[in-house]
C-alpha cells in the first residue's frame, strides 16, 4: 500500500481549494497499487476510478459538489407606488400558483391571502383546494391552528398550512406558511397578496423556519446571503403604480451592482439567537455636522426592506431636524417634521466605521404646504423611554436609507453589510460623499 501518487494530485488540489469547509475533509487516501511495468497505463486509469469512487463516497463528486456549492440567483424586484414597497414573485402549491409578495427583512413569516379573505380588497388569492401538495398543520388535538401576525402597520390572521414554495428556482418543500383570511384594511396595496419574511426564525409568529433560512441551512445558497439593490422612483413624473425596482440576489451578491468593499457589521443579538437584522447605529450627521444620538440599547436598528421610511427614537429625530434650519413638527402628522422645500437635506448614518449618506431626494417626501416639505425620518417612539428598550429596535431603517446602498444580509457569521452602489445600479449619491465625508 502507498498513500499517495501522482495520479491523485488533482484530488488533493481540489481538497485544498475547499479547505474552508472542514466537515467533509476526506481521510488520507488508501489506494492499492500494484505496479506492473508493462501495464502502466491500466494502473493509472485505475487510480482515476478509485479516486472517483472516493469522491463519491466522501461527497466530492461533481454532482454532490454542485449541490453543496449551491446557487446565486437574481430576482427582479417590482417597485410599487414610488418606493413604497419592494415586491417579488413567489409560487405556492402544485400546480404552482404565483403571487406578488413584499420582500421584508423586518419580519420572518410567509403568508398569502386566501379566497374570501376579509378586508383584503381586490388582491389575487391562493386557492388551497387547487393544490395537491397542501397540508393543514394541526395541533396535538387535531385542530387547525389559527395564528395572528402583527406588523407596525396592522395585522393578519389565518390558518397554518404547509405546501411547496418556490422563488427564483429555489424550492422549499414543505414550507410552513399562513393562509390569511382576515387582515387590517389597507395593509397591502394593489395586486400584492402577501409578505415574504426574510428575518430569522426566532421572530416568526408561525414558529416556522423562514423560506430563505431553510435554503441557507440546506446548502442551496452559494453563500448564506441575501442582497439588495432597491431602485429609486420617488421623483419620477407620472410613474406607473408598478415598475422595475432593482434586484434581490438570493445566495450571494451581484458584483455588477456595487463598487468597492462590502463593510460588514456584526448583528447585535439579544439573548443569543438573531431575530431582526439588527445593528447598532453609531453615528449620524446632518448637513455635514455630527448630531448627538442615543447609544447602546437606544441605538438598536432593524435594517428593514419592508418599511418605506426611517423611524427613530424621539431625541435623535428631534436632534436631526434641529440641525435643519426652519424645520418644525407637522401639526397634522404625529411624529413627522417639515422643512423648507428649498433646503437640500443631507443626512447620513453610520453603523460600523463608515457613514452612509441618504440622498436629499429620498429624504424629501413631498410638499405639504406652499413651501414646506415632509421629511422621510420620523419619530418612532413618540417620547417613550427607550433607555431600557429590552432589546427592541428603537430605529427602523427602511427604504429611505436602503435605496442609497447595496445591502447584504449575511446569516453566518451574522452581519449586515453595506457597499456603494455601482453606476449600473444608479450609483450612490456621489456628491454627498464629499459634502458629508466619510467618518474615520
Ligand atoms: C500508454 O499510453 C501512452 C500515451 O497515451 C501510449 O502511447 C501507449 O501506447 C500506452 N501503452 C499501453 C500499453 O497501452
Ligand atoms: C467534473 O467537472 C469537471 C469540471 O467541470 C469536468 O472537467 C469533468 O469532466 C467532470 N467529471 C465528470 C466525471 O463528470
Ligand atoms: C447581476 O445584475 C445584473 C444587472 O441587473 C444582471 O443583468 C445580471 O444577470 C445579474 N447577475 C446575476 C448572477 O444575477
Amino acid at each position: 500500500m502507498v498513500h499517495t501518487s501522482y495520479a491523485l494530485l488533482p484530488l488533493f488540489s481540489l481538497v485544498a481549494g475547499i479547505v474552508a469547509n472542514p466537515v467533509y475533509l476526506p481521510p488520507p487516501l488508501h489506494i492499492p497499487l500494484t505496479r506492473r511495468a508493462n501495464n502502466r497505463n491500466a494502473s493509472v486509469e485505475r487510480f482515476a476510478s478509485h479516486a472517483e469512487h472516493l469522491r463519491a463516497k466522501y461527497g466530492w463528486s461533481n454532482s454532490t459538489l454542485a449541490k453543496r456549492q449551491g446557487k446565486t440567483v437574481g430576482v427582479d424586484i417590482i417597485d410599487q407606488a414610488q418606493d413604497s414597497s419592494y415586491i417579488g414573485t413567489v409560487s405556492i402549491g402544485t400546480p404552482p400558483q404565483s403571487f406578488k409578495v413584499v420582500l421584508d427583512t423586518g419580519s420572518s413569516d410567509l403568508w398569502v391571502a386566501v379566497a374570501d379573505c376579509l378586508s383584503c380588497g381586490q388582491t389575487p388569492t391562493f386557492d388551497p383546494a387547487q393544490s395537491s401538495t397542501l397540508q393543514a398543520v394541526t395541533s396535538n388535538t387535531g385542530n387547525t391552528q389559527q395564528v395572528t401576525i402583527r406588523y407596525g402597520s396592522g395585522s393578519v390572521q389565518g390558518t397554518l398550512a404547509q405546501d411547496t414554495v418556490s422563488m427564483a428556482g429555489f424550492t422549499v418543500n414543505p414550507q410552513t406558511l399562513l393562509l390569511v383570511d382576515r387582515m387590517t384594511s389597507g395593509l397591502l396595496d394593489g395586486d400584492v397578496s402577501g409578505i415574504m419574511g426574510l428575518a430569522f426564525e426566532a421572530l416568526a409568529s408561525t414558529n416556522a423556519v423562514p423560506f430563505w433560512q431553510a435554503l441557507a441551512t440546506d446548502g442551496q445558497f452559494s453563500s448564506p446571503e441575501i442582497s439588495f439593490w432597491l431602485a429609486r422612483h420617488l421623483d419620477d413624473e407620472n410613474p406607473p403604480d408598478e415598475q422595475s425596482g432593482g434586484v434581490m440576489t438570493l445566495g450571494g451578491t451581484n458584483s455588477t451592482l456595487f463598487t468597492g468593499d462590502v463593510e460588514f457589521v456584526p448583528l447585535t443579538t439579544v439573548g443569543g439567537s438573531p431575530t431582526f437584522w439588527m445593528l447598532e447605529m453609531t453615528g449620524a450627521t446632518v448637513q455635514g455636522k455630527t448630531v448627538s444620538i442615543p447609544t447602546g440599547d437606544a441605538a438598536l436598528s432593524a435594517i428593514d426592506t419592508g418599511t418605506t421610511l426611517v423611524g427613530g427614537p424621539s431625541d435623535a429625530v428631534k436632534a436631526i431636524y434641529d440641525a435643519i434650519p426652519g424645520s418644525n413638527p407637522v401639526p397634522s402628522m404625529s411624529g413627522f417634521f417639515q422643512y423648507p422645500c428649498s433646503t437640500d437635506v443631507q443626512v447620513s448614518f453610520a453603523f460600523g466605521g463608515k457613514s452612509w449618506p441618504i440622498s436629499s431626494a429620498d429624504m424629501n417626501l413631498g410638499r405639504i404646504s406652499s413651501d414646506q416639505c415632509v421629511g422621510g425620518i420620523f419619530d418612532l417612539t413618540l417620547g417613550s423611554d427607550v433607555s431600557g428598550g429590552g432589546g427592541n429596535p428603537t430605529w427602523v431603517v427602511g427604504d429611505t436609507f436602503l435605496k442609497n446602498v447595496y445591502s447584504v444580509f449575511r446569516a453566518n457569521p451574522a452581519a449586515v453589510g453595506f457597499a456603494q452602489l455601482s453606476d449600473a445600479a444608479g450609483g450612490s449619491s456621489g456628491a454627498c460623499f464629499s459634502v458629508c465625508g466619510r467618518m474615520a
Side-chain angles (χ1 to χ4, degrees), residues 54-217:
L54 285 170
R55 284 184 197 110
K57 181 173 171 185
Y58 292 105
W60 291 118
S61 75
N62 275 9
S63 54
T64 44
L65 270 182
K67 184 162 183 274
R68 178 166 305 114
Q69 283 172 350
K71 290 186 294 187
T72 305
V73 182
V75 182
D76 287 334
I77 296 176
I78 299 162
D79 180 325
Q80 189 191 41
Q82 288 186 284
D83 313 348
S84 291
S85 298
Y86 291 87
I87 312 288
T89 305
V90 69
S91 300
I92 303 170
T94 312
Q97 301 174 44
S98 228
F99 300 99
K100 290 177 181 168
V101 289
V102 175
L103 303 170
D104 183 16
T105 62
S107 69
S108 301
D109 297 291
L110 172 63
W111 63 264
V112 65
V114 292
D116 301 324
C117 175
L118 211 63
S119 309
C120 295
Q122 299 302 310
T123 188
T125 52
F126 177 64
D127 185 353
Q130 297 301 314
S131 176
S132 62
T133 41
L134 186 102
Q135 305 275 326
V137 176
T138 52
S139 65
N140 296 339
T141 52
N143 296 321
T144 58
Q145 295 189 50
Q146 299 290 312
V147 173
T148 299
I149 309 171
R150 290 175 215 288
Y151 298 96
S153 46
S155 65
V156 299
Q157 214 176 349
T159 310
L160 275 189
Q162 293 188 327
D163 209 336
T164 304
V165 171
S166 302
M167 179 179 261
F170 290 105
T171 297
V172 175
N173 182 24
Q175 169 70 49
T176 300
L177 71 160
L178 196 67
L179 305 181
V180 164
D181 49 31
R182 176 187 294 250
M183 74 171 78
T184 306
S185 165
L187 185 70
L188 297 181
D189 284 337
D191 58 357
V192 175
S193 301
I195 293 180
M196 164 77 83
L198 297 168
F200 292 87
E201 180 182 0
L203 197 63
S205 300
T206 52
N207 292 320
V209 179
F211 177 76
W212 75 274
Q213 219 176 344
L215 294 171
T217 307

Side-chain angles (χ1 to χ4, degrees), residues 38-42 45:
N38 61 353
N39 193 16
R40 189 178 169 92
N41 291 5
E45 278 166 22

Side-chain angles (χ1 to χ4, degrees), residues 217-306:
T217 307
D218 189 37
Q220 293 201 46
F221 285 168
S222 305
S223 315
E225 294 170 336
I226 309 168
S227 308
F228 289 88
W229 158 44
L230 301 178
R232 174 183 305 115
H233 291 291
L234 194 65
D235 278 347
D236 292 7
E237 298 276 339
N238 305 317
D241 189 53
E242 292 185 351
Q243 51 199 320
S244 65
V247 175
M248 172 175 77
T249 300
L250 291 173
T253 58
N254 181 334
S255 59
T256 65
L257 301 175
F258 64 95
T259 60
D261 293 332
V262 179
E263 185 192 45
F264 280 103
V265 181
L267 288 197
T268 303
T269 57
V270 176
S273 34
T275 52
F276 291 101
W277 293 98
M278 195 158 69
L279 305 180
E280 196 174 316
M281 191 180 287
T282 50
T285 70
V286 180
Q287 311 305 65
K289 296 201 187 82
T290 299
V291 295
S292 169
I293 57 166
T295 56
D297 261 10
L300 297 180
S301 310
I303 311 301
D304 182 2
T305 59

Side-chain angles (χ1 to χ4, degrees), residues 386-412:
V386 294
S387 55
N392 283 324
T394 58
W395 289 93
V396 179
V397 177
D399 307 327
T400 292
F401 175 82
L402 292 169
K403 278 180 274 180
N404 297 277
V405 289
Y406 191 70
S407 53
V408 184
F409 297 79
R410 186 179 74 186
N412 187 17

